[in-house]
Amino acid sequence: MLTLAVSKGRIYEDALPLLAEAGIVPTIDPDKSRKLILPTNHIDIRLLVIRATDVPTYVEYGAADMGIAGKDVLAEYGDEGLYEPIDLGIARCRLMTAARRDYVPSGQRLRVATKYVKLAQRYFAGQGVQSEIIKLYGSMELAPLVGLADVIVDLVDTGNTLKANGLEAREEIMAISSRLVVNKAAMKTKHQVVSDFLRRMEQIVAARV
Ligand code: PRT
Ligand code: MG
């Protein structure tokens, strides 16, 4: 049995065509079902549908052999416990700082609202900027509007969300795409089936660019 952890939403939407090219097709649509384990057309391959931020955890502990997760989530989690063999090139965006259009840095300790606490801390320390990181779980765009923070660190794709809230992107912290991650033990105990799958995915991704 090969178990692949994915999150619902944009990663799932983008991963589905890649998996289909590899001949793997879920037999249940997660949007029309409450099931968290999706069987596929292969009796020995199943998908786990979980929160994006939980994918590295399931894979590190071996509850899933493999997973698909954004580089943002992996970098924040800490990638040491996982193999990350393939950049799938899907669900692309950028991790950026953003602020109100009229915001001018004061030189005082910067207040930063984000769900990427570690990445934000590392970034501002690297820039030599004194910062206080405020952990949020969503709707980061609101924080600068109501005085909770000077800037946010969040993902930006089209920029429409920032724009709709009177914010603008300032600095790019890193380019993001989704990666295939593999449990370290599965790499050994399921070597044949895992390496076959990786080779196939590598070919499919390479053929796309
Ligand atoms: O739902 P849950 O809290 O579990 O996690 P999640 O909301 O992070 O999941 P999901 O499915 O929204 O995102 C999963 C992954 O998709 C992220 O970890 C990224 O790797 C990737 N991704 C790619 C994005 C975006 N693009 C993106 N634009 N994730 C989120 N966004 C959000 C962003 O946070 C902001 O609110 O979209 C908004 C900005 O989009 P634009 O187009 O308006 O700039
Ligand atoms: Mg979400």
Side-chain angles (χ1 to χ4, degrees), residues 7-12 14 50-54 69-74 90-94 115-116 137-141 154-163 176-178:
S7 55
K8 242 177 20 180
R10 64 190 96 219
I11 289 184
Y12 187 81
D14 285 6
I50 55 182
R51 292 288 293 263
T53 44
D54 290 335
K71 186 65 190 176
D72 51 316
V73 166
L74 295 171
I90 58 173
R92 288 181 185 277
C93 59
R94 291 171 296 159
K115 67 175 177 183
Y116 302 99
Y137 293 87
S139 304
M140 267 78 78
E141 302 84 12
D154 195 10
L155 302 174
V156 181
D157 179 17
T158 61
N160 289 338
T161 305
L162 293 179
K163 201 169 162 197
I176 304 293
S177 56
S178 291

Side-chain angles (χ1 to χ4, degrees), residues 6-122:
V6 295
S7 55
K8 242 177 20 180
R10 64 190 96 219
I11 289 184
Y12 187 81
E13 302 307 320
D14 285 6
L16 219 46
L18 282 179
L19 292 172
E21 277 191 68
I24 300 164
V25 181
T27 51
I28 292 178
D29 178 349
D31 290 329
K32 294 189 182 130
S33 164
R34 289 176 183 275
K35 285 198 195 299
L36 301 174
I37 301 178
L38 305 184
T40 71
N41 57 332
H42 291 264
I43 190 127
D44 51 356
I45 303 179
R46 61 181 184 173
L47 307 187
L48 304 185
V49 180
I50 55 182
R51 292 288 293 263
T53 44
D54 290 335
V55 169
T57 309
Y58 275 74
V59 176
E60 177 168 8
Y61 286 90
D65 301 304
M66 298 187 285
I68 298 176
K71 186 65 190 176
D72 51 316
V73 166
L74 295 171
E76 180 70 18
Y77 181 81
D79 345 50
E80 307 80 33
L82 304 164
Y83 283 124
E84 191 189 307
I86 303 177
D87 182 349
L88 297 173
I90 58 173
R92 288 181 185 277
C93 59
R94 291 171 296 159
L95 184 70
M96 302 197 70
T97 69
R100 283 168 61 142
R101 277 193 283 270
D102 60 4
Y103 172 69
V104 183
S106 68
Q108 286 183 343
R109 203 166 144 93
L110 190 70
R111 284 209 302 188
V112 183
T114 187
K115 67 175 177 183
Y116 302 99
V117 170
K118 282 204 285 181
L119 296 179
Q121 224 139 30
R122 194 186 307 162

Side-chain angles (χ1 to χ4, degrees), residues 93-201:
C93 59
R94 291 171 296 159
L95 184 70
M96 302 197 70
T97 69
R100 283 168 61 142
R101 277 193 283 270
D102 60 4
Y103 172 69
V104 183
S106 68
Q108 286 183 343
R109 203 166 144 93
L110 190 70
R111 284 209 302 188
V112 183
T114 187
K115 67 175 177 183
Y116 302 99
V117 170
K118 282 204 285 181
L119 296 179
Q121 224 139 30
R122 194 186 307 162
Y123 176 71
F124 289 109
Q127 301 290 109
V129 173
Q130 282 245 56
S131 64
E132 177 184 352
I133 312 291
I134 300 166
K135 165 88 183 181
L136 293 179
Y137 293 87
S139 304
M140 267 78 78
E141 302 84 12
L142 181 60
L145 305 182
V146 294
L148 179 61
D150 303 311
V151 304
I152 61 171
V153 168
D154 195 10
L155 302 174
V156 181
D157 179 17
T158 61
N160 289 338
T161 305
L162 293 179
K163 201 169 162 197
N165 290 290
L167 303 180
E168 65 182 13
R170 295 279 169 108
E171 295 156 28
E172 175 166 336
I173 299 175
M174 62 165 111
I176 304 293
S177 56
S178 291
R179 314 298 166 94
L180 190 71
V181 288
V182 183
N183 171 265
K184 287 191 170 172
M187 204 81 176
K188 298 195 183 87
T189 57
K190 301 185 180 180
H191 181 76
Q192 193 60 54
V193 58
V194 168
S195 57
D196 285 352
F197 179 79
L198 293 183
R199 199 168 319 118
R200 186 78 191 99
M201 291 308 285

